[in-house]
Amino acid sequence: MLDRKQILNKKRIVIKVGSTSLTHPNGKLNLLRIDKLVRVITDLHNAGKEVVLVSSGAIAAGAGKMGIEKKPDDKIKKQALASIGQAELIRIYDKFFEDYNNTVAQLLLTRDGIEETTRRRNAKNTLIELLTMGVIPIINENDTVSTDEIEFGDNDILSAMVTSLINADLLIILSDIDGVFTDDPRKNTNAKLISKLTSEDDNIEKFIFSSKSSFGTGGMTSKLAAAHHCFDHNIDMIITNGSNPSIIYDVLDGKDVGTYFESKKSVRA
Ligand code: GLU
């Protein structure tokens, strides 16, 4: 019996992709990978799934455009690069999705916006309407007015909040690491990938071992904060490696890839 059989029925899915999964090590956008991601999402869409994409990569795209090789430490510079890069990022998504006959929408959200009742309702209504229209919403944090994600999360927490906002069935976080390990895999070759964690597992923070890449922000800390949000809202979440976006098919086939955060609802199913 497939251990993750609950995943097979997931219909409304949020896919979060981090900056490092969208860029080459030199920080420039990895167009082949973005194209593959777009192709997989289109395929899921054609198969009747509703997909929302939460994509970082604006700072990286802005840095690439301005010929800056290392993400600046200065917050205001990051905000400026994000505003330069967001236009470029969405232009590329729009072009690639259009090649596959899909329409996209850009939504720039903030965590505190989602927490405030009226704005929360507006964001939810817009997202649901877009899904009803068969459009792929592409979300990033509005880095001009909020620095939550550029300072702490690289959109991990925002994606979890969007997942609960629209009552989605599953959050897939595509990262530059295969999932959660028993120890830091970059330092300990005996570190094992953890296949499943549940809200009953105490202190999942013990699996935070640092290591951030130059264009990502949150590392495992913000991913586990996202996992807590999903546990609290009874939503399943998976962290897996986004270097080959076809892994999304394996995730949705219930295969044992990445780390599965099984919600209480799925444990009971
Ligand atoms: N919103 C930011 C971006 O799109 C998040 C990335 C980050 O913090 O590295 O670039």
Side-chain angles (χ1 to χ4, degrees):
M1 175 74 85
L2 204 59
D3 192 33
R4 299 186 185 180
K5 61 179 189 318
Q6 314 84 305
I7 303 286
L8 304 178
N9 307 322
K10 305 290 184 197
K11 177 155 193 290
R12 183 173 288 174
I13 298 152
V14 176
I15 297 174
K16 183 261 165 179
V17 60
S19 306
T20 47
S21 300
L22 295 173
T23 50
H24 293 288
N26 66 5
K28 295 246 166 86
L29 289 179
N30 185 331
L31 295 177
L32 184 61
R33 197 173 293 161
I34 297 176
D35 189 32
K36 279 190 185 160
L37 177 67
V38 166
R39 210 163 354 139
V40 172
I41 293 175
T42 297
D43 205 27
L44 299 179
H45 191 243
N46 291 348
K49 309 260 187 213
E50 293 176 327
V51 185
V52 172
L53 178 62
V54 178
S55 176
S56 305
I59 298 174
K65 256 200 137 168
M66 301 304 286
I68 295 168
E69 270 164 36
K70 198 182 158 295
K71 183 161 138 182
D73 293 326
D74 181 75
K75 190 172 70 183
I76 300 173
K77 285 208 170 60
K78 279 195 239 181
Q79 289 176 282
L81 288 180
S83 70
I84 296 167
Q86 180 64 26
E88 173 75 353
L89 188 65
I90 209 73
R91 187 184 69 77
I92 290 167
Y93 275 127
D94 190 40
K95 180 180 178 329
F96 286 179
F97 272 108
E98 199 174 83
D99 288 347
Y100 298 109
N101 236 344
N102 258 312
T103 304
V104 300
Q106 171 185 255
L107 293 90
L108 298 176
L109 302 178
T110 57
R111 275 200 251 168
D112 53 356
I114 294 185
E115 273 156 5
E116 195 271 320
T117 315
T118 309
R119 290 200 248 162
R120 180 181 173 79
R121 191 174 52 238
N122 286 334
K124 179 172 179 170
N125 288 344
T126 306
L127 274 161
I128 301 292
E129 187 61 26
L130 288 167
L131 292 175
T132 309
M133 293 164 93
V135 168
I136 314 269
I138 303 179
I139 298 173
N140 198 352
E141 183 178 58
N142 188 345
D143 296 315
T144 306
V145 296
S146 168
T147 55
D148 284 348
E149 302 290 337
I150 61 178
E151 287 185 284
F152 177 65
D154 196 8
N155 284 340
D156 292 321
I157 300 158
L158 185 68
S159 66
M161 292 176 79
V162 166
T163 309
S164 58
L165 178 72
I166 59 166
N167 302 319
D169 305 309
L170 177 68
L171 169 62
I172 302 174
I173 294 190
L174 297 177
S175 177
D176 58 348
I177 188 161
D178 292 342
V180 181
F181 282 81
T182 52
D183 196 359
D184 189 341
R186 292 167 216 205
K187 294 192 186 128
N188 177 359
T189 48
N190 293 321
K192 299 255 174 323
L193 179 66
I194 300 170
S195 170
K196 186 163 88 177
L197 288 166
T198 72
S199 55
E200 304 295 304
D201 289 301
D202 334 308
N203 185 20
I204 56 176
E205 281 67 29
K206 65 178 177 275
F207 300 119
I208 297 169
F209 306 108
S210 78
S211 313
K212 294 175 199 164
S213 38
S214 66
F215 270 96
T217 301
M220 201 46 80
T221 312
S222 57
K223 288 175 184 58
L224 294 182
H228 278 300
H229 182 92
C230 287
F231 281 149
D232 289 347
H233 291 82
N234 252 321
I235 295 163
D236 286 356
M237 174 179 131
I238 288 178
I239 300 177
T240 193
N241 197 316
S243 59
N244 181 0
S246 298
I247 201 158
I248 296 170
Y249 292 122
D250 292 339
V251 168
L252 296 175
D253 283 343
K255 291 193 184 148
D256 190 13
V257 291
T259 300
Y260 172 34
F261 295 80
E262 188 181 39
S263 68
K264 281 212 178 95
K265 195 165 83 190
S266 289
V267 174
R268 284 196 299 266

